[in-house]
Amino acid sequence: MPVPPRPEPPAPPAERTVPWLRVAAAYSWRLLLVGAVVYGVFSVLGSFQLIAVALFLALVVTSVLRPLTDLLARFLPRPLSVAVALVGSLLSLLALLALVGTSVAGESARLGDEFRGGVHRIEEWLRRPPFRLGPGALSSLQGQVTHYLSAHRGALLSSAVDELGRVVELVTGGALALFASVFFLHSGERLWGWARDQLLPSGARSAWDRAGRAAWRTFAGYTRGIIIVAAANAALVGVGLFALRVPLALPLTLLEFFAAFVPLVGSPVALGVATIVALAGRGPLTAAGVLVLIVVIGQLEGHVLHPLVMSWAVRLHPLVVAVSVIAGSIVAGVIGAVVAVPLVSVVWGVLKALRAVPP
């Protein structure tokens, strides 16, 4: 007689749930694990923030000077080409800062008179409609500022001492960044090959090599692209400020160059400072001209420069850029706002490289 089939055992409770809930649970614990790893990495980097920032600056310097170093290495020995590129760039930066300092020192006496007259004009403007602030309100505001400074003199002095400590940290980080950039420029390829062959198992070397090279291409492309965008913004702003005869046009142009490294946020903030300086030094009409310049520069940066220049790097949606900048500023302040977008670009570039089928 045929043996009747045995009844199937009941399914485990996990399999009796609806499919979408099982999938959501599987993704959830994996996402929690990835989030814990990311949090741990950022906690470690936060403990060694000075070293992390110095290495980041070294990578920025390497990505900018690597093409020049490779070009010089065709005619000079590699160590000499690295020295020429680094020393030349440092001398150029110091010359630019000296030019800015000379410009400010040469205009200091005239700027003092202009700003005093500009403050008086601002007071007269605030007394008119729609503000209608009386002389007593402005005098009371000045008295409150003076009282605050006198009452918190000790705290302000303590903050100044803390800032001196930060200056020492800044010098130390700059020295470490310069030291690391020398080795990255001279033998970065060999350093990566040694780390790949000595620290990774043989089966994972190919994938990690693809990911590392994609990360470097994305980072270098983004860094060079953002420098080109910042230089173009600074050139346009400088021409506009000199045409409007805004005081401190050269320092404000340099401020615009460095502020452009924070996408979507830095350039408007720098031009806002230029608007205040124009209002105090030249009056409301010049300040209105600077406001028009803010709109024009924003449109050029968002619709022309970024799509055109950043085409070789990872192009991120403006919403992703905005969220990345805000999240980075919440986590690590100004440094986080600068690092956030290149970090997101590198992560996305690595994911695209690993997703592609290798030849």
Side-chain angles (χ1 to χ4, degrees):
M1 294 180 60
V3 179
R6 296 182 180 180
E8 295 183 0
E15 296 184 4
R16 291 201 297 266
T17 57
V18 290
W20 66 266
L21 186 58
R22 292 201 304 270
V23 174
Y27 274 106
S28 297
W29 74 262
R30 289 174 172 85
L31 289 176
L32 288 175
L33 181 60
V34 171
V37 172
V38 171
Y39 178 78
V41 169
F42 275 96
S43 299
V44 172
L45 291 178
S47 302
F48 300 95
Q49 185 177 10
L50 179 62
I51 297 176
V53 172
L55 292 179
F56 175 79
L57 290 177
L59 291 174
V60 170
V61 172
T62 304
S63 64
V64 174
L65 297 183
R66 181 66 180 269
L68 177 61
T69 305
D70 292 341
L71 179 62
L72 293 175
R74 298 179 181 178
F75 313 99
L76 301 173
R78 187 74 182 183
L80 185 58
S81 62
V82 172
V84 170
L86 281 175
V87 173
S89 61
L90 283 177
L91 291 177
S92 301
L93 180 61
L94 291 176
L96 180 60
L97 294 178
L99 179 62
V100 171
T102 304
S103 173
V104 173
E107 299 180 4
S108 58
R110 182 177 61 85
L111 289 176
D113 296 335
E114 288 186 357
F115 283 139
R116 279 191 292 271
V119 171
H120 179 70
R121 287 194 298 268
I122 292 174
E123 291 178 352
E124 292 293 333
W125 180 50
L126 291 175
R127 291 192 183 105
R128 298 172 185 171
F131 299 101
R132 297 183 183 277
L133 293 179
L138 296 175
S139 301
S140 175
L141 180 60
Q142 293 176 358
Q144 290 177 5
V145 172
T146 305
H147 179 266
Y148 177 84
L149 292 177
S150 60
H152 298 80
R153 186 177 304 169
L156 293 176
L157 289 176
S158 176
S159 299
V161 173
D162 292 340
E163 291 302 322
L164 289 177
R166 290 185 179 274
V167 170
V168 174
E169 291 184 359
L170 181 64
V171 173
T172 305
L176 178 59
L178 183 63
F179 183 73
S181 60
V182 170
F183 291 97
F184 290 163
L185 286 170
H186 180 265
S187 54
E189 192 76 21
R190 281 183 290 173
L191 288 174
W192 168 249
W194 178 88
R196 179 196 59 206
D197 297 336
Q198 300 295 324
L199 304 179
L200 297 175
S202 57
R205 289 173 189 170
S206 175
W208 277 89
D209 187 68
R210 252 188 3 262
R213 294 183 184 278
W216 175 246
R217 283 196 304 270
T218 304
F219 181 82
Y222 177 85
T223 304
R224 295 165 191 164
I226 200 67
I227 288 177
I228 294 173
V229 171
N233 277 1
L236 294 174
V237 169
V239 170
L241 294 181
F242 277 106
L244 294 172
R245 298 174 60 194
V246 176
L248 301 175
L250 187 59
L252 291 173
T253 301
L254 189 62
L255 176 64
E256 165 65 23
F257 174 77
F258 288 111
F261 284 88
V262 183
L264 301 179
V265 178
S267 183
V269 170
L271 288 176
V273 175
T275 304
I276 297 174
V277 173
L279 180 62
R282 300 290 298 171
L285 290 179
T286 305
V290 177
L291 288 176
V292 173
L293 188 63
I294 292 176
V295 176
V296 173
I297 294 297
Q299 294 298 316
L300 286 176
E301 180 182 357
H303 296 89
V304 178
L305 292 177
H306 266 286
L308 182 64
V309 175
M310 305 293 285
S311 58
W312 63 78
V314 177
R315 293 178 57 182
L316 300 175
H317 193 275
L319 179 61
V320 177
V321 174
V323 172
S324 302
V325 170
I326 294 174
S329 63
I330 292 174
V331 173
V334 178
I335 296 175
V338 174
V339 174
V341 178
L343 178 62
V344 173
S345 300
V346 166
V347 171
W348 181 243
V350 169
L351 290 177
K352 289 177 63 177
L354 293 179
R355 238 174 12 193
V357 178

